[in-house]
């Protein structure tokens, strides 16, 4: 399982805007610091239902369920010029960041620190290039778009 510190979520209310109830994400940055990667995504959500409480484990958020986690970042290795998904997905459970008040629209950032020991071993002779496909799911089970990082040369 991934060694993850965080994620650190920073969020704020937006002025009243007509945002969709589905979260929308974008890759803000990927930083390599010694033996870790810091992946930061920006997000918006029209109804502010991002994150799960620690004790929120009733179906469909129960242990073992796909929706137990709500942030998905699947690694892909570059193999002979083709991006290859391994059977080692990486998931995380973002804590509740719903704002108080009438306006629930959110925008913010989520930063995840991935230890180098997290990275799945690449297939034989793949080299050192990896990327991540990232998706966020809210409490109403609305899925965000899938955002893909740029290629990362693992050092």
């Amino acid at each position: 399982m991934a060694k993850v510190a965080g994620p650190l979520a920073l969020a704020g209310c937006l002025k009243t805007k007509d945002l969709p109830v589905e979260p929308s994400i974008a890759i803000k940055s990927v930083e390599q610091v010694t033996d870790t990667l810091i992946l930061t995504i920006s997000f918006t959500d029209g109804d502010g239902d991002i994150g799960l409480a620690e004790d929120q484990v009733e179906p469909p958020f129960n242990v073992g369920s796909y929706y137990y986690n709500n942030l998905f970042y699947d690694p892909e290795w570059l193999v002979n010029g083709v991006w290859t998904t391994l059977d080692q997905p990486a998931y995380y459970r973002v804590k509740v960041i719903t704002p108080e008040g009438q306006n629930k629209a959110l925008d913010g950032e989520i930063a995840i620190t991935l230890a180098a020991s997290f990275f799945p071993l690449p297939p034989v002779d793949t080299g050192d290039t990896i990327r991540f496909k990232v998706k966020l799911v809210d409490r109403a089970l609305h899925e965000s778009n899938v955002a893909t990082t740029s290629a990362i040369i693992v050092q």
Side-chain angles (χ1 to χ4, degrees):
M1 187 46 66
K3 289 187 180 179
V4 179
L8 171 63
L10 303 172
C13 296
L14 293 172
K15 292 180 181 175
T16 302
K17 283 188 178 182
D18 288 328
L19 290 175
V21 295
E22 299 84 9
S24 177
I25 65 169
I27 303 298
K28 182 172 182 187
S29 64
V30 179
E31 225 182 316
Q32 194 166 4
V33 180
T34 59
D35 62 346
T36 61
L37 285 178
I38 301 169
L39 170 63
T40 304
I41 65 167
S42 59
F43 69 91
T44 60
D45 185 60
D47 58 359
D49 61 344
I50 299 293
L52 296 167
E54 266 185 56
D55 62 352
Q56 193 167 5
V57 292
E58 66 282 348
F61 309 113
N62 52 303
V63 176
S65 164
Y66 177 79
Y67 293 110
Y68 176 77
N69 296 294
N70 52 8
L71 181 65
F72 305 86
Y73 45 104
D74 296 325
E76 295 182 321
W77 286 96
L78 188 59
V79 180
N80 298 322
V82 177
W83 289 105
T84 304
T85 302
L86 303 180
D87 292 330
Q88 297 175 333
Y91 305 141
Y92 195 79
R93 190 173 171 108
V94 176
K95 294 180 181 176
V96 174
I97 52 177
T98 301
E100 294 181 17
Q102 290 183 344
N103 181 14
K104 299 294 185 190
L106 279 174
D107 75 338
E109 295 177 0
I110 298 171
I112 306 161
T113 302
L114 306 171
S117 59
F118 148 78
F119 299 127
L121 293 175
V124 177
D125 298 327
T126 60
D128 56 2
T129 305
I130 193 170
R131 72 179 182 185
F132 295 91
K133 289 193 170 188
V134 184
K135 176 175 64 173
L136 181 64
V137 179
D138 68 17
R139 286 189 299 279
L141 307 184
H142 297 128
E143 296 188 1
S144 74
N145 56 302
V146 174
T148 304
T149 67
S150 56
I152 303 159
I153 307 281
V154 179
Q155 299 175 2

